[in-house]
Amino acid sequence: MAGRVVVYIHPTCATSYELVKALAGEGLLDAVELRDTSSPGPVLRGAVWSVPWILVDGRPAATDPVSAEEAAEIIRGTWSRGVEDPVKAFMETVLHSAYAAALAYLHGSLRPVLDEALASAAVRAPLSGVEPRGVLEAVEAEAERLYGEWEDPIMRALGISYVREAWWASGGTLSRDQLRAAAAPEAVGAWLIAKASIGRAGLPPRPLPPRERVERLASFIQRAAAGLLNRVRREQEQILGDEEYWRLLAGKTGSTVGEGRG
């Protein structure tokens, strides 16, 4: 088995859901400490950028994108995958973190997300031996080009996050037409500012997001409203309606994560 493994999850995260269900099925949940990120204190103290967020002996060892199979290998101490392209691994991690993606898109730059903990999780540093600082230096050296290449996927990922949170805010009753109306550029811009900040931390010195980027995100949501809404509805109804999953979480975390769901 690996060293001490801690896994941060959020109950509504689809990857967290798949990971918890799979690990429970393999009898591996008892080998990890599962922490629910519904309370912000441990998240802020631990520099948790995304969920699932896996620590091995206190070091960030993996985050989304991470499969249940890979997580099981980490827990068993059999991980031997290696990291072919550390820069790409870092960019994939930014793409899959709503917080990191929002920061990058709001600033129009990767520099606000050049964080050692995020890089460590992206390249599985404690397991792969890849040095996070070297990854950050490589990303910084090509930051402008990389952002340009990844801006569109980041924008689309943020569109899904926007729809998911609008669906939550509606109590699960959001319609396609309501979503289109809710995706006015001003509303999307306000959401982006909120998504990329903790209070004022994370905001640009002049926190006025470029109109072009906001309009592009709003237009994507409006055009793809039906498909995005169906995707989010299926995902969240499966998670929120899985009573066995919620009982499992409540028992494992010792918290009230199962309360207050729709």
Side-chain angles (χ1 to χ4, degrees):
M1 300 293 283
R4 179 170 175 259
V5 179
V6 176
V7 181
Y8 288 87
I9 59 101
H10 191 275
T12 62
C13 164
T15 308
S16 296
Y17 172 76
E18 292 167 4
L19 189 151
V20 168
K21 294 273 285 186
L23 295 184
E26 295 187 42
L28 288 173
L29 272 187
D30 288 339
V32 305
E33 181 181 341
L34 197 66
R35 295 183 182 174
D36 169 33
T37 60
S38 299
S39 297
V43 175
L44 296 174
R45 289 193 299 273
V48 176
W49 280 80
S50 186
V51 288
W53 184 262
I54 302 176
L55 304 178
V56 174
D57 291 331
R59 295 182 62 197
T63 189
D64 210 11
V66 59
S67 67
E69 181 183 5
E70 184 181 10
E73 291 171 5
I74 293 170
I75 294 164
R76 291 191 179 106
T78 60
W79 188 96
S80 60
R81 297 175 179 235
V83 181
E84 256 185 56
D85 187 338
V87 170
K88 182 179 180 182
F90 180 81
M91 294 306 302
E92 289 282 357
T93 295
V94 171
L95 181 67
H96 283 77
S97 165
Y99 178 50
L103 268 170
Y105 197 71
L106 177 63
H107 286 258
S109 170
L110 295 174
R111 288 183 173 82
V113 300
L114 294 179
D115 177 81
E116 191 168 338
L118 186 63
S120 177
V123 300
R124 293 20 179 184
L127 312 171
S128 68
V130 177
E131 174 54 53
R133 291 183 184 177
V135 177
L136 294 179
E137 289 170 3
V139 173
E140 188 169 21
E142 298 188 88
E144 188 172 343
R145 177 187 66 80
L146 286 168
Y147 178 79
E149 289 179 1
W150 286 78
E151 186 181 66
D152 189 65
I154 286 171
M155 181 271 293
R156 291 171 181 272
L158 288 172
I160 296 169
S161 292
Y162 183 86
V163 174
R164 184 180 296 111
E165 294 179 17
W167 188 86
W168 286 334
S170 76
T173 65
L174 189 67
S175 71
R176 180 190 62 183
D177 291 341
Q178 288 172 326
L179 173 58
R180 285 175 173 164
E186 292 76 15
V188 171
W191 172 85
L192 180 62
I193 289 169
K195 193 71 178 173
S197 61
I198 303 171
R200 281 184 171 79
L203 289 180
R206 297 175 182 267
L208 305 173
R211 184 76 181 183
E212 180 188 358
R213 282 204 297 278
V214 171
E215 288 181 346
R216 192 156 63 245
L217 176 55
S219 176
F220 168 68
I221 296 167
Q222 290 168 351
R223 289 195 319 271
L228 294 174
L229 187 56
N230 285 337
R231 173 176 171 174
V232 164
R233 184 185 293 116
R234 287 194 303 269
E235 169 196 280
Q236 291 299 301
E237 286 181 349
Q238 179 184 11
I239 294 170
L240 296 174
D242 190 335
E243 297 295 336
E244 179 187 355
Y245 168 69
W246 289 95
R247 284 194 296 270
L248 179 65
L249 284 184
K252 178 61 182 173
T253 62
S255 69
T256 56
V257 294
E259 296 181 2
R261 61 191 184 279

